[in-house]
Amino acid sequence: MMKMILDLDTGVDDSLALAYAIANPDIEVLGVTGTYGNVTTEQGVRNSLDILHLLEKDSVPVFKGEDHAMDKVVFTRHEVSARIHGENGVGQVTLPPASAKPESTDAIDFIIASCKRWGKELTLVTTGPLTNLATALEKEPEIEHMIGKVIVMGGALTVCGNVSHFAEANISQDPCAARNVFETSMDITMVGLDVTQRSRLDKKATQSWRNLKTISGRLFADMADYYIENTLGTEETFIHDPSAVICAVHPEFFQAFPCFLTVETEGIDRGRVVVDSKKLRASDPTTKACIGVAADLVERELTTTLYGLFKGN
């Protein structure tokens, strides 16, 4: 069973990713680390606790992480994030409040301790800015050689960005952190807009969840429908964050291109993920960028797994 930490800025698609991880029998969720992006870190942590409570998984610990980028003193939320995820991050849906609180240990120390305990067994999936992981590496550099796999939802290598012509939202929030992470020797797979925009979640699927007449089915359908209506404005939307978790357990669904990745941190290219020109002649890159996907398999994996989860809740 894969031992996994989810590093989330818990908005709607992060909630879907968390639910998928909880439902997948091949994943043991060791904990959730909170970051900023779709919402503030504090709101994201609260959303994670409430989602876990809704799914009757209050025992999964949630840890508060960094609340702004490494080179900034405050976090500024993108307007598009508020529009797509709603002010509360979960599509303006009111979730049953969890009584659980965040752990007293912070996210950075939890990541470090987990790397030391589980080593190569540990998979870290990030769906927000990479500040928590970069900060953990800065505090304890040796974990670079301990951790198993890192799956990053973020970036755009062969397509345009979604917050600028070049930049994707997660990477753009903290390009310095992303650069520091990508330029390590860790086994990193980037699941970016190149593939997440090819897989779709539609209202037929969300209606099937609603038809279950369970609390979780109804609330997740409401969240997902809000997200659908405020992204493409059609009957479907992209599968961003869940794609990263699915990639962790089903890498065969994806076509990955081995390359040395880095991130531009200055000028109009700030936040742009590129192949590192200094390493074009270097061999054996540890980073990979997903550039192809069997979208039908990703879509089926997500919707059927969540249907089974919501059927029992």
Side-chain angles (χ1 to χ4, degrees):
M1 182 178 292
M2 180 177 292
K3 298 185 184 301
M4 182 179 290
I5 294 173
L6 293 166
D7 190 55
L8 310 177
D9 58 332
T10 306
V12 176
D13 58 336
D14 308 77
S15 298
L16 293 168
L18 177 55
Y20 172 81
I22 291 295
N24 191 301
D26 296 322
I27 297 173
E28 178 186 357
V29 180
L30 300 177
V32 174
T33 53
T35 188
Y36 60 93
N38 293 325
V39 289
T40 63
T41 300
E42 183 176 359
Q43 180 67 60
V45 165
R46 172 46 51 196
N47 291 346
S48 294
L49 290 166
D50 291 347
I51 290 293
L52 289 167
H53 178 63
L54 175 64
L55 299 177
E56 301 179 356
K57 291 292 182 179
D58 297 88
S59 60
V60 174
V62 178
F63 303 83
K64 185 177 183 294
E66 299 298 289
D67 57 13
H68 58 80
M70 299 180 82
D71 63 347
K72 296 183 179 179
V73 295
V74 294
F75 159 60
T76 302
R77 190 185 190 196
H78 291 309
E79 182 279 329
V80 67
S81 298
R83 174 172 57 82
I84 290 173
H85 297 275
E87 286 299 324
N88 69 350
V90 287
Q92 298 304 101
V93 171
T94 300
L95 298 172
S99 58
K101 305 295 182 185
E103 301 296 309
S104 56
T105 302
D106 70 19
I108 309 309
D109 287 340
F110 174 66
I111 290 171
I112 292 169
S114 297
C115 289
K116 292 181 177 180
R117 178 176 181 183
W118 299 110
K120 297 301 180 184
E121 294 182 63
L122 178 63
T123 296
L124 174 64
V125 178
T126 70
T127 67
L130 289 166
T131 316
N132 284 339
L133 178 54
T135 304
L137 287 163
E138 189 175 74
K139 185 173 182 179
E140 292 281 353
E142 65 268 26
I143 67 171
E144 172 184 346
H145 307 291
M146 297 177 180
I147 196 168
K149 296 182 184 298
V150 178
I151 314 294
V152 174
M153 191 282 117
L157 190 63
T158 64
V159 298
C160 294
N162 57 2
V163 294
S164 75
H165 185 72
F166 301 114
E168 177 275 333
N170 290 336
I171 302 299
S172 74
Q173 282 286 359
D174 196 345
C176 294
R179 178 198 59 200
N180 292 350
V181 168
F182 282 143
E183 292 188 359
T184 66
S185 62
M186 294 186 296
D187 183 347
I188 299 171
T189 300
M190 186 183 91
V191 182
L193 302 182
D194 313 80
V195 291
T196 65
Q197 293 183 145
R198 299 183 188 184
S199 300
R200 306 294 174 92
L201 173 67
D202 61 35
K203 284 193 173 183
K204 290 181 181 179
T206 62
Q207 186 59 47
S208 74
W209 303 342
R210 188 174 283 107
N211 290 343
L212 290 169
K213 300 188 184 304
T214 60
I215 295 174
S216 62
R218 174 175 58 82
L219 293 179
F220 267 89
D222 288 347
M223 282 191 286
D225 282 352
Y226 184 99
Y227 187 72
I228 288 170
E229 290 160 9
N230 287 281
T231 48
L232 298 182
T234 62
E235 295 295 303
E236 63 180 13
T237 192
F238 306 128
I239 300 177
H240 290 307
D241 295 347
S243 290
V245 186
I246 293 171
C247 182
V249 288
H250 289 290
E252 70 276 11
F253 292 175
F254 298 82
Q255 178 187 0
F257 169 58
C259 54
F260 288 99
L261 294 173
T262 189
V263 180
E264 301 288 355
T265 59
E266 303 292 340
I268 63 170
D269 284 348
R270 180 177 166 85
R272 182 180 188 178
V273 176
V274 295
V275 176
D276 192 342
S277 60
K278 301 188 298 297
K279 298 180 180 178
L280 289 177
R281 293 170 61 84
S283 59
D284 301 323
T286 55
T287 52
K288 300 179 288 292
C290 290
I291 56 173
V293 60
D296 58 332
L297 298 181
V298 170
E299 292 162 3
R300 187 181 310 125
E301 175 70 12
L302 177 65
T303 58
T304 58
T305 300
L306 293 186
Y307 183 90
L309 175 65
F310 302 151
K311 189 175 182 179
N313 290 92

